[in-house]
Amino acid sequence: MKGLYKKSAALLGYHALYSVVSLVFLLPFSNFIYYNDGVVKPLGGILYTLVILLFYLSNLYSNIWHLGRAHSRKISEIKPNPIYALEISLISEIPTYIIFVFMIIFHLKNPNSFNIFYTIFKFWQGIYIGVLDISKIFYVISLILPIIFSLLGYIAGTKNFEFADKYIYPLIFKNKNKNKS
């Protein structure tokens, strides 16, 4: 359990940081995301959320990837265990689940009244702000997506699978030796 809470706190900090960043960038892009009456434009909301998710999930994946890589080394005290990554991501998502449960409970007790937890949830899940009002399924997706990317990152790290090195960098940096024949 060495560093479990420290890594969870780091992921929690990243979540808070990217939520605030997405809300800050929401202002200049609000015409792209919302109609004049405040209803979300589906295409704009999805594109905005995908861009924010690209940065957030790649950061999450990268941090847990490095942890998995460190655990897979022969000199490591900790043996590779995907449950460890699951614990880290679940602990870091505790505030999200607490807010979500309060939002559901308050909605069930007072379905037609103002729900302060809905507002708190949308602020806390600012990363997904462009899609939360499109469909209720995005509430569930916003709860499980960080956990899935944490597990994938840890497993890829233990196998030393580097997605960027194998797929993205070759697309960006063409091999210059091919043209010198």
Side-chain angles (χ1 to χ4, degrees):
M1 292 298 163
K2 182 180 178 182
L4 177 74
Y5 296 111
K6 184 177 178 181
K7 280 288 185 187
S8 296
L11 294 185
L12 180 66
Y14 287 128
H15 185 100
L17 175 69
Y18 279 97
S19 290
V20 169
V21 165
S22 70
L23 292 172
V24 166
F25 282 111
L26 184 65
L27 186 61
F29 294 106
S30 63
N31 287 336
F32 178 67
I33 300 166
Y34 293 102
Y35 292 112
N36 290 338
D37 59 356
V39 176
V40 175
K41 295 178 183 177
L43 182 62
I46 290 170
L47 289 176
Y48 180 77
T49 301
L50 286 176
V51 168
I52 297 296
L53 280 176
L54 176 71
F55 293 113
Y56 170 64
L57 293 176
S58 63
N59 190 329
L60 185 80
Y61 179 91
S62 175
N63 281 299
I64 299 298
W65 185 93
H66 288 291
L67 181 68
R69 180 71 182 121
H71 287 180
S72 68
R73 293 191 178 130
K74 293 180 181 176
I75 58 172
S76 176
E77 322 170 337
I78 301 173
K79 299 292 179 205
N81 185 2
I83 300 298
Y84 188 72
L86 180 66
E87 290 172 347
I88 289 172
S89 60
L90 284 174
I91 290 171
S92 71
E93 291 294 317
I94 285 174
T96 306
Y97 292 131
I98 289 172
I99 296 167
F100 184 74
V101 167
F102 280 137
M103 182 181 74
I104 296 297
I105 290 170
F106 193 81
H107 177 72
L108 292 175
K109 287 188 175 188
N110 303 313
N112 296 327
S113 64
F114 176 72
N115 189 345
I116 187 68
F117 293 107
Y118 173 74
T119 306
I120 294 170
F121 186 80
K122 282 188 75 170
F123 178 78
W124 180 248
Q125 293 290 81
I127 300 162
Y128 307 93
I129 194 123
V131 296
L132 286 178
D133 289 334
I134 294 174
S135 175
K136 300 299 179 200
I137 192 71
F138 288 114
Y139 286 95
V140 176
I141 290 171
S142 73
L143 296 174
I144 61 172
L145 200 59
I147 295 167
I148 292 170
F149 268 78
S150 294
L151 284 172
L152 290 175
Y154 188 85
I155 292 168
T158 59
K159 306 292 185 202
N160 197 22
F161 175 75
E162 297 183 33
F163 183 79
D165 284 347
K166 293 190 180 204
Y167 297 106
I168 297 185
Y169 294 148
L171 291 174
I172 297 172
F173 306 110
K174 304 276 187 207
N175 191 354
K176 294 181 181 177
N177 292 335
K178 290 181 183 178
N179 297 336
K180 292 184 176 182
S181 294

